[in-house]
Every structure is written in structure tokens, then in C-alpha cells.
Amino acid sequence: MATSRPTLARDDVIQYRAGRMRVLLVKISSMGDVIHNLPVVGDILRARPEARIDWIVEEAYAGLLGLHPGIAQVIPIALRRWRRAPLSATTRGEAGVLWRRLRASHYDAIVDSQGNVKSALVARIAHGEHLGYARESAREPLAAAFYDRGFANGPYFSQPATRRYRALAGWALGYAPEGAPHYGLTPPPQRPDWLAGSEPYAIALTATARDEKLWPEAHWRSLLAQQTRAGRRVGLAWGNAAERARAERLADGIDGAQVAPRALGLVEWAGVLAGASCVVGVDTGLSFLAAAVGAPVVAIYVATSPTHVGIVASTPHRCLGDVGQPPGVDDVFGAMQELARA
């Protein structure tokens, strides 16, 4: 394995095999990071229109990537599920199928923007030049040992994820990313029947995988009440029993606040979010999905920083708060009123 080098000189032109260039993107998880990586597809196709782009991703997000017309093949991987039964016949069989699928093709560039050992090892299965972050820029420095060349772009969390991923892909393929990010998702139209009769509607994303990122329930109830008084029905999302119970507590007694009656899939949520007049949410994957499908978004930061995981989009959005500095209700309500579509 070649030693990774930190930079690529401007005059170091990458030469590809004749014919259509094949690129494999490796961004396996999590949902927010997968969405942050989507603008890379449009960047590549603008710079290299002949490119065929494949993407390997955790199976839960495969349907979401299927909404992007620029991705030729979505390759699902089930690492989360396999970890629960690593020695089972099902795990061994599925892993073998994936291994053979990745080994069957040759790629001109295999770009791992995840930057950890797990993703680097998965990327290494495929044939081609392996490109990722240099040791000082990788999320896990050891990952750099598995790349043929590495990109030094400052510490991993020194800039918003979308800019970091676009810069890596541009370096790997020899172009300079330009302009605002384009996420490229084309969700099917979706009018939520559980919000029937409300024009317009807003969506509140109150749940997140880490409790420290939650906004206080009293703040949510006050915000929901203000929104419904302003004539906007608000739908509350949830993904598991605990999140549903919390959403029901928040909506209880507030006329016009409606909890989703069932857990929706990501493709369905993409359509619902695209049709919302405004979306308000904590630092969670669905907030980033809302921005990716063009909805106006107000993102609330409590224990993370928008400097590292902020929304980067050309569509209307506001990132409020920071680590240990959650925004107040009036600030969030004011931002929603400013951004909301009629």
C-alpha cells in the first residue's frame, strides 16, 4: 500500500483510463453526514460529465440516495445490523455478496469522505485508487494508512461538513468546487393526510439520537402555541416509541399541533418536508434533509456547533444557538416567521 501524501499540487493532473470515468463514493453513515455529502455528486458531474457515480451507504439510507438521478448505483451495506449477529449465516451470506459485488468492478477513484477506519476498510475492498484524508485531517487518523493518497485540509471538524466533503472530492478528481451546494434530491410529491385541511403547514423535528442535543420541552410547547396562533398547523415527527411519547407530550392541549400517526420512511419524509412552509428542528438528520429538499429550515443548536455541523444550502435557512448556548423561543419563532413560505 502506498504511503499517503498530504497534498496534491495544482499541476499534478490525474490521468484516468480511457472511456467513462467510474467513481465510488464511500459515505456509509450517519444520515446527516450522508446528506452533507450529496452535493459532491453534482460537483463531480459538472466537472466530469462523463462520470458514472456509485455510492456505498448504510441500508437505511439507500432509498434516500435513490432519489438522486446522478447516482448510477446505490450499494447498500448493513454494518449496523451485522454487528448484532456477526457470525450468523445471514450476515456471512450478505457480506459475501457485498464483497463479490465490490470486487467485480474497477473504479478510477474511490473517495472515502467518512474518514474513519470502518469506512476505509470497506473502501479497500473495491479495486481502484483509494483517496481520503491525510492523517492530520481524518476523523480517525489510522484511516489514512488505508488510502493511496491523502488530502490535508485542516482538522476534521474545522469547517462545516458539506464544505469539507466537497473539497475532498474536488482534490481527489482534480477540480475546484464552485457555487452553492446542490443536493439533487427529487422526492415524490407528498401531502400528509394527517395534516389535511391545513394550508400552510410546518414540521417540528423535536427528536435526536443524543439527549444533550434536545431543546427543552417547555420551549417547544411555547413555540408550538405561537405557531398555531399564527395560523400554521404544525406536524411533529418521531421515529421510535420514546420519541412518539415525547411528541405527544409536547402537542398535548395545543390546538393545531398534530403528531404523525405512524413512523414515516425517509423517502416519505422527504416529500412531506419539501411541501412544508417551514421546518424547525434540532441538530438531526431530518433537519438536514429538509434543507436538502428545499424547505425553509430553522435549525436549533444546543450541544453542537453550526460551525461544524451547520446547514450549508442556497435555500432559506437559519442556524441558531451553539454549544451551551441554546436559542430562546422568541428568536426561533421570529426566524420561522421570517423564512416561512406563504
Side-chain angles (χ1 to χ4, degrees):
M1 190 180 306
T3 303
S4 63
R5 67 185 188 192
T7 60
L8 177 66
R10 288 182 181 274
D11 59 353
D12 189 357
V13 179
I14 302 172
Q15 298 296 325
Y16 294 103
R17 295 177 298 127
R20 192 176 191 188
M21 183 174 67
R22 296 198 64 185
V23 178
L24 177 64
L25 300 180
V26 182
K27 172 59 75 174
I28 299 171
S29 61
S30 58
M31 179 180 165
D33 283 336
V34 169
I35 293 168
H36 292 318
N37 202 58
L38 279 167
V40 167
V41 177
D43 288 346
I44 293 173
L45 292 176
R46 281 189 293 275
R48 310 282 186 182
E50 80 285 2
R52 172 195 162 102
I53 301 171
D54 297 345
W55 186 326
I56 184 165
V57 70
E58 185 65 43
E59 61 182 355
Y61 313 125
L64 197 59
L65 294 188
L67 298 177
H68 198 305
I71 301 173
Q73 179 180 212
V74 178
I75 304 172
I77 187 170
L79 290 177
R80 291 177 177 176
R81 182 162 51 82
W82 294 346
R83 280 200 297 264
R84 295 197 293 266
L87 301 180
S88 71
T90 297
T91 296
R92 295 197 308 271
E94 291 179 352
V97 169
L98 177 68
W99 178 280
R100 291 188 292 273
R101 185 175 182 181
L102 288 176
R103 299 293 288 179
S105 299
H106 185 284
Y107 291 96
D108 297 287
I110 300 165
V111 184
D112 174 19
S113 59
Q114 192 148 324
N116 60 25
V117 173
K118 173 184 68 177
S119 61
L121 288 172
V122 170
R124 204 72 209 177
I125 299 171
H127 292 294
E129 186 179 26
H130 298 81
L131 304 154
Y133 297 105
R135 181 178 180 86
E136 62 268 34
S137 297
R139 184 165 189 164
E140 296 177 4
L142 182 58
F146 297 95
Y147 306 134
D148 298 312
R149 290 191 290 114
F151 177 45
N153 191 33
Y156 188 80
F157 289 112
S158 63
Q159 58 184 301
T162 298
R163 295 193 184 116
R164 182 168 62 247
Y165 303 154
R166 294 180 75 191
L168 171 64
W171 166 84
L173 300 179
Y175 65 84
E178 296 180 349
H182 179 63
Y183 291 86
L185 297 181
T186 55
Q190 184 69 240
R191 174 69 192 185
D193 54 6
W194 45 281
L195 286 173
S198 72
E199 287 284 358
Y201 67 88
I203 296 295
L205 308 173
T206 66
T208 179
R210 290 166 46 193
D211 286 352
E212 65 266 28
K213 295 195 292 183
L214 294 172
W215 204 40
E217 293 193 13
H219 286 18
W220 276 117
R221 284 186 57 81
S222 178
L223 179 67
L224 293 175
Q226 288 190 52
Q227 282 292 307
T228 57
R229 285 197 298 269
R232 187 175 293 113
R233 195 168 182 84
V234 184
L236 282 76
W238 56 275
N240 57 42
E243 292 174 1
R244 182 173 190 171
R246 185 170 189 268
E248 289 174 343
R249 286 197 306 274
L250 297 177
D252 185 42
I254 300 177
D255 187 31
Q258 178 65 51
V259 176
R262 56 187 173 81
L264 280 65
L266 291 180
V267 172
E268 191 173 2
W269 267 122
V272 171
L273 294 168
S277 66
C278 190
V279 176
V280 57
V282 290
D283 174 10
T284 187
L286 285 178
S287 295
F288 300 115
L289 178 58
V293 297
V297 182
V298 178
I300 297 169
Y301 290 83
V302 174
T304 53
S305 175
T307 300
H308 304 149
V309 287
I311 292 173
V312 178
S314 58
T315 49
H317 66 278
R318 292 280 300 278
C319 296
L320 303 179
D322 210 315
V323 178
Q325 302 174 48
V329 175
D330 290 343
D331 290 335
V332 175
F333 178 71
M336 292 184 70
Q337 292 297 92
E338 178 185 337
L339 299 186
R341 297 184 289 217

